[in-house]
Amino acid sequence: MNAVTTIEKTSANTDFFDRPYLLSIAGKLVDAEHSFDVINPATGKVLAQAPDASEEQLHEAIESAKTAFIGWSALGYEERQGYLERYADALQENRNDLVRLLTLEQGKPLETMAAPEVDQAIAYVRQIAKRRLPVEIVEDNDTHLVELHHVPLGVVGGITPWNFPVLLALWKVAPALITGNTFVLKPTEFTPLTALRFGEIAQEVLPAGVLSVVSGDKGLGPVLTGHPDIAKISFTGSTETGKHVIRAAADTVKRVTLELGGNDAAIVLPDAEYETIIPKLFWGAFGHQGQWCVGIKRLYVPRSIHEDFVEKFVAYARTVKVGNGLDPEVGVGPVQNRMQFEKLKGFLDDIKANGQNIVLGGEIDEDQSGYFFPITVVNDPSEDSKIVREEQFGPILPILVYDDVDDAVRRANDSIYGLGGSVWGRDTEAAVQVANRLEAGMVWVNEIHTQSVDIPFGGVKQSGLGTEQGDEGRKLFTNPKTVLIHK
Ligand code: ADP
C-alpha cells in the first residue's frame, strides 16, 4: 500500500498544481520575464518555477494598490466584510489543494500541521471580516465634541517568511483590508507558491489592486520598504532583516510592525505533572520542525525531576517519525531549506565540539536528498553555549536544569529576545506569578500556542515592534485621527 496520502482535489480549478504560478498585479495574473526554482524540501528537487518579478512590476502593484485605496477605503466596513467573506469562501473551495501545496513547498506534515494552518488562516479571514474599529467619543461636553476616528493608512506592504507561508500572510492581509487599506504582499523566495495561489484566488473576488502578490528574490524587499507610496510595512522574519526594515522605513516615516526572532523559554515548575505535559512540551518545541517564532527553544526543568523527565521526554520523542510530510505517519517533516539545514548543522558541530550531552538524535544521514534533520535533544548544556544563547529555529532542543525558580526566571530573561514563553505547574496561581516575571510579549500558563484574532500578539526587546491581532493589532493598520467639533 502506498503510504503517501493523496488528498482529493476539490477545487473548481482541476489544474491547481499544473498551471503556471503567476503574479497578481492590478487585478490581473501576469508572468515575469525571469523565474526561480522552488524546492520541495522533502526531496531536494525542484517543485515548480515561481515568477521573479521585476522592480517595475512591484511598482505597478503599488501603483494599482494606491489607486484601489480610494474606492476600497470609501466602502465602509459592511461592504468590505462582504468581500472578505467571499474571499474566505473562495479560499475554502481551494482548501485541500492549498493544504497539499503547503506541504509540498514547506515540508510540514499534511494532516497535523498544513491542514490546521490553512484552516486557521481561512477562519481568520472570516472572523476578522466581522471586526470593527468604531469612532470613539473622547470628550462630549457643553462646548465641544471630540471624536477619535481610526482611519486606514493607505497601501500596506507585507513581507513574510517561510515557516507559515499561508497563516502569517493572511493574518496581515485580513486586518489591513477590513480596516480599509490595500495590500501588496511579497512572500519569501523559499515558499512563494501558496501565496501566489491565494493571490490568484483573491483576483476572482476582490476589486482590482486591493491585494497584489509579487514574488521575487530578496532584492524586492528593500524596494517595498523604500517605496514612498507604502504607508506601512508589516514584517515577519529574522531580527537582522527586521533591523534593515526599520532603517529603510525611516526615510519616509513608514509605520512598521515587526514580528522577529525569539528564544522562548518553557519553565516546568517542581509541582508539574510532567508525565502528562511532555507531549505538549514536545510538540511545542518540535512541531513545524521547530521552525516557529514562538516554539519552545529552551526547556528549563527542576533538578528534583530532571533525570526522569529527560528519560520520559526522550522516550516520547522516539515515537515520532521524521520524514516526508505527505506520509500520514510522519510527525516532523524536513527542515524548510538548505540554508536553514546548514545553519542547524552548525549548531550540531558546536554542540559536539564542546562535548555537550546529546541524548537523542545528532546524526545526519548525508546521503539523503531531502533536508531531514533528526529530532535532537541536548541534555543540560552550559547556559552560555550557542544552542542556549542563539535561536536554533529547528529540531534541536536544549533541556536545562535549575535549582530554584528565581534562577530559572533570571536565565529565561537573560536574552536579547522576548517573544513568547510558557510556565507549567499544578498550582496555577504560583505558575501565573512566574509567568508575570517573564520578559516576553506572550506567556502561556499550562497551555501553549493558543492564538486567536482577538488575542494580541507581539514581541518585546529584539523580538519585535508593535502588535498583531486583537484591536491593538488592528489599530496599527490605522492612524488615529482626532476630530474636534465646537458646539
Ligand atoms: P530568513 O533569513 O529566515 O529567510 P529573513 O528575515 O531574511 O528570514 O526573510 C524574511 C522575509 O524578508 C523574506 O520575505 C525575505 O525575502 C525578506 N527580506 C530579506 N531581506 C530583506 C530586506 N533587506 N528588506 C526587506 N525584506 C527583506
Side-chain angles (χ1 to χ4, degrees):
M1 206 188 87
N2 188 354
V4 174
T5 309
T6 45
I7 206 158
E8 289 302 313
K9 293 182 186 179
T10 56
S11 70
N13 304 311
T14 49
D15 62 345
F16 187 96
F17 292 93
D18 306 327
R19 64 180 187 271
Y21 292 90
L22 299 169
L23 309 167
S24 21
I25 298 176
K28 297 194 182 67
L29 301 181
V30 291
D31 208 349
E33 198 182 326
H34 302 287
S35 64
F36 61 93
D37 292 341
V38 179
I39 308 293
N40 177 344
T43 61
K45 299 208 169 66
V46 176
L47 172 64
Q49 297 283 310
D52 186 4
S54 65
E55 283 192 24
E56 291 66 39
Q57 287 179 307
L58 183 52
H59 287 157
E60 273 172 50
I62 296 168
E63 189 59 39
S64 77
K66 193 179 168 189
T67 307
F69 175 71
I70 300 163
W72 182 253
S73 58
L75 281 184
Y77 275 102
E78 267 64 38
E79 275 191 79
R80 291 196 295 263
Q81 175 181 346
Y83 276 111
L84 283 185
E85 286 174 348
R86 284 194 288 285
Y87 187 33
D89 292 342
L91 290 168
Q92 187 63 42
E93 281 172 33
N94 291 274
R95 180 262 186 198
N96 287 359
D97 293 337
L98 284 167
V99 168
R100 187 175 172 82
L101 184 59
L102 179 57
T103 291
L104 291 172
E105 74 167 344
Q106 207 284 337
K108 60 182 70 188
L110 189 143
E111 293 294 349
T112 54
M113 303 282 158
E117 176 176 344
V118 171
D119 289 342
Q120 227 190 83
I122 297 171
Y124 266 48
V125 175
R126 209 178 284 292
Q127 289 160 8
I128 289 171
K130 297 194 186 71
R131 296 299 181 273
R132 301 286 183 268
L133 292 176
V135 174
E136 296 169 43
I137 304 297
V138 178
E139 259 184 41
D140 186 5
N141 57 32
D142 293 344
T143 55
H144 72 172
L145 173 69
V146 182
E147 296 175 347
L148 180 62
H149 297 241
H150 300 285
V151 299
L153 302 170
V155 183
V156 175
I159 302 179
T160 46
W162 43 260
N163 56 344
F164 290 86
V166 179
L167 183 65
L168 292 182
L170 288 173
W171 84 358
K172 295 178 188 309
V173 168
L177 296 195
I178 194 62
T179 46
N181 304 277
T182 53
F183 205 99
V184 177
L185 173 68
K186 191 212 79 65
T188 164
E189 50 281 13
F190 291 111
T191 57
L193 302 180
T194 39
L196 290 166
R197 280 289 181 258
F198 68 65
E200 192 183 315
I201 295 164
Q203 307 319 306
E204 295 163 15
V205 288
L206 299 179
V210 167
L211 172 60
S212 293
V213 179
V214 183
S215 59
D217 66 18
K218 271 189 197 300
L220 284 185
V223 177
L224 204 56
T225 54
H227 199 289
D229 289 331
I230 295 285
K232 168 180 173 136
I233 294 288
S234 181
F235 172 86
T236 302
S238 63
T239 294
E240 277 324 296
T241 306
K243 291 176 186 175
H244 287 296
V245 172
I246 301 182
R247 286 188 200 106
D251 274 345
T252 48
V253 196
K254 286 186 197 348
R255 278 71 184 135
V256 289
T257 297
L258 307 173
E259 202 251 280
L260 308 174
N263 197 3
D264 292 11
I267 300 179
V268 177
L269 295 174
D271 70 342
E273 289 170 359
Y274 59 94
E275 287 94 337
T276 14
I277 59 171
I278 278 174
K280 286 187 192 170
L281 293 171
F282 176 86
W283 291 109
F286 290 96
H288 303 275
Q289 294 80 253
Q291 302 170 145
W292 45 10
C293 321
V294 285
I296 297 174
K297 299 189 178 137
R298 297 175 287 159
L299 178 51
Y300 288 91
V301 298
R303 195 172 298 282
S304 53
I305 62 165
H306 169 240
E307 218 171 289
D308 193 44
F309 181 94
V310 171
E311 201 176 297
K312 294 202 160 81
F313 190 91
V314 167
Y316 182 81
R318 282 189 201 283
T319 65
V320 178
K321 184 175 168 188
V322 178
N324 188 325
L326 293 179
D327 176 348
E329 283 167 13
V330 159
V332 172
V335 167
Q336 203 285 315
N337 58 66
R338 169 64 64 188
M339 172 196 76
Q340 190 61 20
F341 191 71
E342 294 300 328
K343 211 176 120 189
L344 289 167
K345 284 202 319 204
F347 275 97
L348 209 48
D349 291 345
D350 184 82
I351 289 164
K352 289 180 178 172
N354 288 295
Q356 287 161 1
N357 184 11
I358 297 176
V359 287
L360 182 69
E363 293 306 322
I364 293 169
D365 175 3
E366 295 290 352
D367 294 334
Q368 64 186 356
S369 50
Y371 311 142
F372 298 107
F373 200 93
I375 294 169
T376 299
V377 178
V378 190
N379 189 16
D380 203 20
S382 64
E383 194 68 23
D384 61 357
S385 59
K386 182 176 164 76
I387 189 64
V388 180
R389 302 302 303 167
E390 295 179 22
E391 178 180 32
Q392 66 275 50
F393 215 70
I396 312 179
L397 179 70
I399 299 184
L400 299 138
V401 193
Y402 71 85
D403 285 306
D404 67 82
V405 174
D406 287 347
D407 183 44
V409 170
R410 184 189 57 75
R411 287 157 67 188
N413 286 339
D414 182 20
S415 170
I416 58 164
Y417 297 113
L419 194 57
S422 58
V423 183
W424 305 80
R426 198 176 314 197
D427 178 347
T428 308
E429 239 170 77
V432 170
Q433 295 296 323
V434 176
N436 290 343
R437 293 167 63 195
L438 288 184
E439 295 166 2
M442 189 160 212
V443 186
W444 289 273
V445 175
N446 292 329
E447 61 173 28
I448 192 150
H449 296 152
T450 332
Q451 291 186 338
S452 91
V453 295
D454 294 318
I455 300 177
F457 170 69
V460 302
K461 298 196 265 186
Q462 292 190 31
S463 284
L465 191 62
T467 304
E468 295 196 88
Q469 307 310 334
D471 281 346
E472 284 83 353
R474 286 183 279 279
K475 279 182 186 163
L476 294 180
F477 286 106
T478 65
N479 275 323
K481 177 178 174 183
T482 316
V483 180
L484 303 95
I485 305 153
H486 186 70
K487 284 188 183 166

